[in-house]
Amino acid sequence: MTESGCPSNRVLCSLTDLTDASISLSHLSLVSQEEMREMREQPIDPQAEQEIINSIQEVYYSNDSFDMVQHELEKLPPELNLQELEEYRDKLKRQQAAVSKKVADLILEKQPSYVKELERVTSLQTNLQLAAVICTNARRQLSISKEDFTEASLGLLANQRRRHLLTGLLKSLRTIKTLSGSYLRFLFLVCVSVLTFKHYSCISELNSKLQDTLEQIEEQLDVALSKTCKHFDVSHYTRVQLAYTLLEKTQTAMDQLHMHFTQAIHNTVFQVVLGYVELCAGNADTKFQKMQYKDLCTHITQDSYVPCLSDLCKALWEVMLSYHRTMQWHEEQDKEEAPPTTGAADTEEAAVDHSYVKKKLEHGLTRIWQEVQLKVKAYLLGTDMSNFKYDDFIVVLDVISRLMQVGEEFCGSKSELLQESIKRQSVNYFKNYHRTRLEELRMFLENETWELCPVKSNFNIAQLHEFKFMGQSRSPSVSPSRQVLSSQDQVLSSQDQEVLSLFQHFSQEGNPFERHIDNKDEETEDVLASNGYESDELEKCVYQDYDSDSDVPDELKQDYVDEQTGDVPLKSASRETLRSRKKSDYSLNKGSNAPILTNTTLNVIRLVGKYIQMMNILKPIAFDVIHCVSQLFDYYLYAVYTFFGRNDMYESSGPGLISSRLRTTLNRIQESLIQMSLGEGSASVHGGPGEDRKEKVPSPHLSQLVVLTASETLYGLAQRVVATESLVFLAEQFEFLQSHLDTMMPAAKKPFLQQFYSQTVSTASELRKPIYWVVAAKALDYEQMLLLMAGVKWDIREIMSQHNVYVDVLLKEFEEFNKRLGDVSRHVRVPLPVSNVLWEHCIRLANRTLVEGYGNVKKCSNEGRALMQLDFQQFLMKLEKLTDMRPIPDKDFVETYIKAYYLTENDMEQFIKNHREYSMKQLANLVNVCLGSHINKKARQKLLAAIDDIDRPKR
């Protein structure tokens, strides 16, 4: 085809020419005007011009990246000659001019062709656009025609043809249904006839066809038999067994049945787990379908673990229930009258079949349950549960506990495989869980400001969600799975619940593994109450609440707790206790008698409830759980003591503040639980390396927000009361739980629990003494008393009727203390035991200050001793009006010391031996003051020697 005959070629040529032209123009632009002028002035000689072009070196045509400047510079000789360089430059200019002129001539020559081809290309583009519009419209019209005419007509014809075929099929199906009832029996009769007349050739062929038909029937019966493994249907199973009986293959059917149950278990668990794995994987990857079941279980995610386990047990329950109902069917058949037989041989054969079926079914119970255990064990051990949420892990325990109950009812098995698997996971989980909870408890304690958490007065531990399980069983030994199975069980009497097994209760409908979902989220009420400490109206409302709730239903009295933490109430006091509290505490605070506790206390109690719930479900780790429960209490007690009671200066001055039992307990906690940092003395030795150190927790530190140095707040008395009394309240809750824990504790480990209660829980109230001693030691200015007493003259010669000023000052201090105690009680209730301890400490310190002051006297007469007695009696008389404490603490301590002044030498010596409560300084001062009145120097030396003998063993 010529160039003129092909439009596309013409367009291509035109575009090529246009490109060449543009390139040429760009080169022309590089030529200076001067050079163009020189080129025009030169004569035009085509042959000379071509020779110049031919003289250009080939390297200039090599590629676009060729650097001609660099090339020419490299060609320069070592020694440059100006004339030669100018000549060479002129040569290059001539070559450049010749090339530029040649390019310009070519452009001018092709210009008319370029313009002509460009016009043809523009015209072709316009024609193509018009053709595209025409084609689009034509196709649209064709599509409309197809839809309106062709498809509609053909669709009607196809539907009519399908209707005609389905009508014929329906007639055939009705005929088959009519014949199916009698076909099987007819077939067996024909088989018997065939065996009789098989010597006929036609009958032999019929026999062969009938055998093929029987094999097909057996295959269909086997399929029908396998369907009973998941959803047992009495009528369906009866027909299948009847068919096998007619085939005289009852024993074969039973062998096949057990194989189908085993296969059903495998297929069921595989499909359930596979469904969750593929769902969580989020893609259509088929690699999971080719995995082994054990490997597949390792791909279950933490979020889908509990739902998958629940569905797994539900599916396995359906299989076991079908087997159970299969056994029931055969037992009922055995009880019924035997069907009529033709002879003794048939009867004996039937008896053998019944015996075989019975033994096979009984043996299959253990075999099937073992298969179930293996599948669930593989699932349990396929995932590390150490980081599960507590609620999820409790559900796992509850589901497995329920499954073990199913196994016990199914075949009397103790489910050793499941117990071993769940115990392994539980120990692993609980160690990690407890370590985390202890760290959280330390964080709570270090951020606790020891403010009162106001709860309602009928705060009850049984109302906490974590302790609900205790109210559901009459005995802690009853497994949660044997407690209320569902809401329907509520209508059954306790006797009915004990009689009905899971297989009886859920025989027709329902599933025992659906119950835990119902109780997982429970609505709770708000137990946060107004403090009621500043208003008499609030106080009145609180007291009315105590006395007017007799007509309120019990379920409405169960109040719940904190909105932020979701916590709920604790052990409530009896109405008599509440009334006694009103009388005892009313003088100090105008408010509610609700328990004194903090959010941290609530968290500890909730945590104890979770621990006991876990222990209730899984008894093999009961001791481990109780040991961890004791550590929670130990750490709380140690923290309260460390924050508020540990003060070496006051401990040394306080007589018997910390009992030997409490000190032993604190040392034990520090050595076994507290991880002491380096530099904390000898205690760091007990930190222990390795695994032992992992079980320990760093010592907590008091929050900087808690100020214990302000005198106007009685040195943080409110915070001390909340901390100490919350610990006492926590100890009361542990006492309440003791019987339950004792029931769960293994017999060999019960001494540990008894020791924990006798040496730790019972010491909680003993912390009041050292904690409140710190307040009492700072609340009154005892040093001022000593200074005032030092200024009193005691060697007077006449009986005084007026007491000294220091007594009034001391009483003024007590009045101020009483006022500040009342101020504190308006914000935090100060229980009677607390106020008694505070008053006792203050009075003891005051009395010991008086003895110390009297012991500093250098000279004293009988009248001076009488003045001491007058001062002390005045102090007692005014003090008794401020406090209800009777008798006054250490009253005899002061009076005995004052009266000792009048003792003779022999009595004084006996006094020194019997009264070790006085310091050596006080006893020596007593002897020195009496010198000259009724004790001589010799007697003085003897008595001082006796004092020194008493002091020597202490050195």
Side-chain angles (χ1 to χ4, degrees), residues 748-763:
K749 301 292 185 178
K750 286 190 176 182
F752 167 82
L753 185 65
Q754 295 169 358
Q755 185 179 18
F756 168 66
Y757 271 92
S758 62
Q759 297 186 7
T760 304
V761 176
S762 60
T763 61

Side-chain angles (χ1 to χ4, degrees), residues 849-885:
T849 302
L850 290 175
V851 172
E852 185 69 17
Y854 295 149
N856 292 333
V857 174
K858 302 300 182 184
K859 295 181 181 181
C860 183
S861 61
N862 290 336
E863 291 78 8
R865 269 317 155 177
L867 180 58
M868 289 181 184
Q869 290 182 327
L870 175 64
D871 291 345
F872 186 62
Q873 292 303 320
Q874 179 69 17
F875 170 68
L876 291 178
M877 183 179 65
K878 295 292 183 66
L879 184 63
E880 288 176 350
K881 295 180 180 179
L882 294 176
T883 178
D884 295 330
M885 290 197 67

